[in-house]
Amino acid sequence: MDYDVIIIGAGPGGYVSAIRLGQLGKKVLVIEKKYLGGVCLNEGCIPVKALVYASHLREKVNYAKKEMGFLVKDEGFEIEKLRIWKDRVVERLKRGIETLFKNYKIEWIMGEGRLIDKNSVEVSFQGEKKVFTADFTIIATGSKPLSLPGFEPDGELIWTSTQAVSLSKIPSKLIILGAGAIGLEFAYIYKNLGSDVEIYEIMPQILPGADREMAEELRKVLTRKGIKIYLNAKAIGIEKKGDSLDLILEVDGKEERRGGEVLLLAVGRAPVFDGIEPGRIGIKTDGKFIITDSQMRASIPNIFAIGDVTGPPLLAHRASKQGIVAAEAIAGLDAKFEPKVIPNVVYTEPQLASVGISEEEAKEREIKYSIGKFPFIANGKAVSSGETSGFVKIVGELNTNKILGVHILGPEASSLIGEGLVAMEMSGELHHLADPIHPHPSLCEAIMEAGENFFKKAIHILN
């Protein structure tokens, strides 16, 4: 065989798996058709969060001017410089991956891989095709934006997240179809960069599946920031009109039209199987995603699959952990992908981070539960930073006091959720969050006091 392992795809699943294999002394070839880091690093997670940060800075400048007496003027921004800065962030991280690949002697080819059989991969690159063999193959081809019939992206009037993150222009009016994480994050970015933003969601709440109270509070916060959000709105057509368009909707059984300069489709993602075609070589799927065991092994024993091709939740950190498990399983270690909980974050400002089950899920499962809550407006660090929107909500089981879910809407929620994540992974109880002495002043005190509120003994709010 040419290699111990061939990995198809260099996103947060593929490149992480390659590095772990390199650490374990394996000879690895990575095949990536577009760029190291995949969609996450180049078109998704990283550049989107960079733009969220930039737009939040603009929001904070205006807050400092209005509330703190700073003599600053918001004279706009240079879109080209912003784009260059965002790209520089991405390039720095890509160079880091390249350095790690070099140090661990990981080879990689910019090309498209096609599975020939369980040991062979044909690679198209530099105008030619070559077949490489390996003892093991890892499929890590990721996902792509979903399209809707009649709403096919054209890169001009109809965008996907790929066009939105490229920052080619700031539309005077941006219409977003879908109020999931992607839709909300771009709504926040483009609103702060100068667009009039409207979001249309077919479901009765934003972030379908999220804790309803948390989602509703985020909707209110974003609405106060000037983002218009419409629920129970079904898109049924589109009419292009030169350099603008009309979105045709069905709202409460009636047809309505909404005009805009650009429509952003944010209606979900689908697995990428270009060149893989699982059924062709006998890899079993559930009709949409590859079926794997706890070691990420597919139905063909020496083929593994990780990341978005294995099903929801389609999250980069899930893919990375699966990549490590697959690498260690290939090396003969007793590794399994059996997380008790997986965190989820929406990177608006404020951020919404969750781990575990929602209050609605607790009700559906007929679990006897109680709630501990604490608002950031009662937290000294949040007030002193001017970041008081949102609250911490902990769902706990009565009698046992076991933590069932932690939900945080507020500043730095993506970092704060780690406290709840570790507690839940260790089968923690509410007192594990409520009893430890937390630093003061700090945002994490809100988690402590939410835990105390579960026991009706929070200090800085009425219980």
Side-chain angles (χ1 to χ4, degrees), residues 76-111:
F77 59 94
E78 296 180 50
I79 189 171
E80 181 61 23
K81 280 191 176 181
L82 180 57
R83 190 186 302 117
I84 290 171
W85 171 78
K86 180 258 299 180
D87 292 342
R88 196 162 61 240
V89 170
V90 170
E91 287 303 315
R92 181 172 182 174
L93 293 171
K94 283 168 66 175
R95 286 198 301 272
I97 296 172
E98 289 175 351
T99 299
L100 289 166
F101 273 21
K102 183 178 180 180
N103 287 341
Y104 287 115
K105 297 179 173 57
I106 297 164
E107 298 178 38
W108 73 284
I109 294 175
M110 187 76 76

Side-chain angles (χ1 to χ4, degrees), residues 30 39 101 117 129 177 193 243 291 330 350 393 431 443:
V30 177
V39 169
F101 273 21
D117 56 42
K129 293 181 179 180
L177 200 55
L193 295 184
D243 57 358
I291 298 170
I330 287 171
K393 176 178 181 178
H431 68 86
L443 295 173

